[in-house]
Amino acid sequence: MSNIPAELRYVSSHEWVRLEEDGTATIGITDHAQAALGDIVFVEMPEVGTELSAGDDAGVVESVKAASDMHAPISGEVVAINEALEEAPELANTEPYEGAWFFRVKPSSPAELEELLDADAYAAVCENE
Amino acid sequence: MGNRTPLFEVHGESGGKMVDFGGWDMPIHYGSQLEEHHAVRQKAGMFDVSHMTALDVTGEQAREYLRYLLANDVDRLAFDGKALYSGMLNEKGGVIDDLIVYRMPYGYRVVVNCATREKDLAWMGKQAENFKVTLTERPEYAMIAVQGPEARAMAAKAATPAQAEVINDLKVFEGREVEGWLIARTGYTGEDGLEITIPADEASAFWKKLEEVGVAPCGLGSRDTLRLEAGMNLYGQDMDEDVTPLSANMGWCVAWEPEDRDFIGRKPVAEIRAKKGWDKLVGLVLEGRGVLRHGQKVVVEGVGEGIVTSGTFSPTLGHAIAMARVPAGTTDKAQVDMRGKLVDVRVIRPSFVRNGKKVFE
C-alpha cells in the first residue's frame, strides 16, 4: 500500500501538489508512481520561467525499466526547480514527498486548485488501476 | 495464475515482486533491481532460472543429430560435462533459439529458453524423426544460477562437502554431476559463477542456505541489466528467426569447420558470409543523460538506419548502454532518436562490463 499524505493534493496522472504559504505550489511524483517505475536514474525538469498549462509535459522521469512523462498538474510559471534531485534522482524513490520535489510554480489559474484530488480520492484512483 | 517454479513460495518469503514472464510467475526484483545488480558485480547473487527448459538427448545418433541441429559443433566438447553455447537455426539461417548443450555420460543435456519452449520442442522433435534419438524433458528439476566474484565460495559453503569439492574444482564452461545435482560453471551475467540443476524438492532448502551465507536473491530485472552489460544476447530482442547469427554477434559460435558437416542453415548463412555487407550487432554508449531503449531508431549519417535491440541504464557504469543492429558500414559514431531528439552515441563492440570492470575505452 502506498503512502498518500493527507495534506497534499493530487492528480490522476500521479503527481502531487503542495500549496505553500507564499502562494506558490510545489510539485512532485507520488509514492505510487515511484514504486511503479522502480529505480529512478534520471530526471529532466522544465526550465525556470517556463509557462506551463495543466496537462503539459513538464519533464521526464527515467527508471531502469522505463521512461515516463511528468505532467504539469496545474497551470503556472516555473519559479524553481530541485537541482538536488537532478544530482540524486534516487531521492524520488526514497523520499517522494520530502527531498524529491521536482519544481515549483506560481499558479495562474486558482480555479484549477479546486479540482485537484484529495488523498481519499487519489487513493481510489490508485486502487482502480 | 501462471506456471510456478519449485521456488515460488520462497520468492514470496524473500519479498519478491512477482510478474508474468512468458507464462511463468517470476520475481522481477526483491526490493531494488539496482542493489541486486551491484550484489552480483561485487559479491554474489542468485536467480531462479527453473522456467528454462532442460532436456536430454540420448540414443545412438545423439551426436549426429546435434551436429545437424546446431550451428556450433558438439564435437568440440572434448570431455563429459563440457558445455557449448550455440544457435539453433532454421532453413533460412535465422535463429530459432540460443541454447547451452552439455556433453554427458549418457548423451547430451540441452537447456533452451522459456519463451521459445513450444516452438523449440516442436522443431527439435521434427528434426529428430530422421535420427535414432530420444528427447526427454526434465521438468523434475529446478535451476538456480549463483553469480558474482564470491559466488562459488559462498555456494561451496551452502553445499555438501562432495558438492563443494566439485564447485571448487570446476573449470569455466564445465559441468559435473554430483549427488543428483548438475553443477556447471556457466552464467548470464559476465561474472564467475554457477548454474545448478537440482531436484525440485531440494531447491527451496538450498536457496535458503544460500541466502543464509549471504547470497542476495535477484530478480529478472537485474538479470537483464547484468546480461546486457556483459554483451549477452536476449532471444526475441537481440535476435529472432529473421536474423542470422552473423547479424546477432553469434558468428563466433558457428562452426564452419569441418567443411563437410551439414547443419541446418549452413548454406544460406554461408552465402551471406561470402557476399559480406550484412547488418551487424554493435554496442552503443551514451555518456550523457537519458536511457537508450529497445525499439529506438539508430541513424548513421551517410550509411543508413538501424534499431536498438536492447537498451538500459548500466548500473555499473552509471550511464545508458545498448545493443543495436546497424548497417555494415557503421564505424564509431551514430545517433539515436530518443523521444524525437537525435542524440549522439558512440559505437563499440557489444561488451561493456566483465568481471566487475568496464571493458571498453
Side-chain angles (χ1 to χ4, degrees):
Chain A
M1 191 58 213
S2 64
N3 175 18
I4 305 175
E7 67 274 19
L8 302 181
R9 293 293 170 267
Y10 301 88
V11 286
S12 57
S13 54
H14 305 290
E15 288 86 15
W16 55 261
V17 180
R18 187 173 64 221
L19 301 172
E20 308 291 354
E21 283 178 6
D22 64 1
T24 64
T26 305
I27 287 156
I29 66 168
T30 65
D31 187 39
H32 178 89
Q34 71 77 20
L37 282 164
D39 295 297
I40 292 168
V41 292
F42 292 111
V43 296
E44 206 177 293
M45 310 275 198
E47 279 175 35
V48 171
T50 309
E51 286 286 349
L52 294 171
S53 298
D56 279 358
D57 287 348
V60 181
V61 186
E62 294 234 33
S63 69
V64 176
K65 197 162 73 180
S68 173
D69 286 317
M70 182 175 184
H71 303 282
I74 55 174
S75 307
E77 183 193 342
V78 178
V79 293
I81 60 167
N82 184 356
E83 285 169 9
L85 181 62
E86 283 186 313
E87 294 302 313
E90 65 275 13
L91 283 176
N93 291 119
T94 53
E95 39 183 290
Y97 299 114
E98 296 87 33
W101 61 278
F102 277 63
F103 58 92
R104 210 162 269 154
V105 299
K106 199 169 148 196
S108 59
S109 171
E112 283 172 5
L113 303 178
E114 304 299 318
E115 290 167 26
L116 295 171
L117 306 174
D118 65 16
D120 287 342
Y122 177 64
V125 169
C126 294
E127 235 161 77
N128 289 329
E129 275 193 356
Chain B
M1 193 180 93
N3 296 314
R4 292 179 169 184
T5 76
L7 290 161
F8 178 83
E9 302 288 333
V10 179
H11 295 319
E13 290 166 26
S14 300
K17 188 184 170 201
M18 307 304 281
V19 298
D20 173 68
F21 182 80
W24 292 76
D25 288 339
M26 299 298 289
I28 184 82
H29 62 71
Y30 299 82
S32 168
Q33 174 176 344
L34 286 180
E35 281 170 28
E36 290 161 26
H37 182 105
H38 293 312
V40 172
R41 286 275 178 258
Q42 293 161 13
K43 211 171 141 201
M46 58 181 162
F47 305 84
D48 179 7
V49 290
S50 310
H51 57 308
M52 297 185 77
T53 301
L55 63 163
D56 285 334
V57 181
T58 53
E60 60 182 276
Q61 288 190 303
R63 168 180 167 255
E64 288 76 10
Y65 166 69
L66 289 171
R67 293 191 83 206
Y68 177 66
L69 183 77
L70 304 180
N72 211 339
D73 187 354
V74 293
D75 272 9
R76 290 181 174 183
L77 296 170
F79 53 89
D80 286 347
K82 185 70 185 155
L84 184 79
Y85 175 75
S86 181
M88 177 164 73
L89 310 184
N90 61 26
E91 274 134 7
K92 293 181 297 180
V95 182
I96 294 174
D97 202 3
D98 63 338
L99 53 83
I100 294 232
V101 54
Y102 299 88
R103 187 176 127 182
M104 302 297 281
Y106 55 78
Y108 298 88
R109 165 72 53 82
V110 178
V111 181
V112 303
N113 282 304
C114 145
T116 49
R117 175 203 156 85
E118 302 305 326
K119 72 163 188 177
D120 287 357
L121 294 179
W123 178 259
M124 292 175 78
K126 185 179 149 203
Q127 302 307 326
E129 285 168 11
N130 302 319
F131 294 87
K132 287 178 188 154
V133 291
T134 307
L135 306 180
T136 314
E137 261 199 83
R138 304 304 301 265
E140 70 274 33
Y141 289 108
M143 279 184 265
I144 300 173
V146 192
Q147 302 278 299
E150 293 178 33
R152 286 198 303 139
M154 287 180 155
K157 267 195 235 170
T160 67
Q163 292 160 351
E165 201 183 316
V166 169
I167 289 169
N168 293 327
D169 198 41
L170 283 174
K171 300 205 169 48
V172 172
F173 248 68
E174 181 193 354
R176 215 176 293 168
E177 281 186 302
V178 52
E179 297 175 339
W181 298 15
L182 173 60
I183 304 178
R185 197 167 164 195
T186 52
Y188 192 48
T189 61
E191 297 297 325
D192 193 7
L194 303 166
E195 290 178 309
I196 302 174
T197 306
I198 174 172
D201 59 0
E202 295 177 44
S204 296
F206 184 55
W207 180 276
K208 284 178 189 165
K209 268 192 202 157
L210 287 167
E211 210 170 350
E212 274 165 32
V213 300
V215 180
C218 297
L220 293 173
S222 55
R223 187 168 161 79
D224 191 54
T225 51
L226 287 158
R227 70 92 193 166
L228 187 43
E229 283 186 351
M232 293 172 169
N233 290 1
L234 173 61
Y235 191 83
Q237 264 184 220
D238 303 308
M239 75 292 204
D240 56 37
E241 293 191 24
D242 296 322
V243 176
T244 74
L246 302 176
S247 294
N249 196 33
M250 291 171 69
W252 62 273
C253 65
V254 177
W256 296 105
E257 304 286 338
E259 271 176 47
D260 62 354
R261 181 177 71 104
D262 182 30
F263 61 85
I264 303 168
R266 176 169 191 138
K267 204 167 154 239
V269 179
E271 278 167 14
I272 295 167
R273 190 165 170 247
K275 277 190 295 200
K276 301 207 181 326
W278 58 81
D279 287 354
K280 56 184 179 179
L281 191 67
V282 297
L284 303 182
V285 176
L286 171 63
E287 268 129 342
R289 304 175 65 80
V291 182
L292 299 164
R293 307 279 182 192
H294 167 78
Q296 286 171 338
K297 187 169 78 180
V298 181
V299 179
V300 189
E301 212 186 320
V303 177
E305 289 184 356
I307 192 155
V308 172
T309 55
S310 287
T312 193
F313 174 79
S314 159
T316 305
L317 302 172
H319 56 71
I321 57 170
M323 291 206 257
R325 188 141 31 247
V326 296
T330 306
T331 56
D332 60 345
K333 286 192 194 74
Q335 291 179 304
V336 176
D337 185 339
M338 295 177 72
R339 305 161 68 83
K341 262 191 285 186
L342 282 181
V343 178
D344 291 334
V345 295
R346 291 164 56 203
V347 179
I348 62 165
R349 288 184 53 243
S351 181
F352 307 93
V353 178
R354 282 286 166 122
N355 299 315
K357 303 243 163 38
K358 179 174 168 178
V359 289
F360 61 94
E361 290 298 310

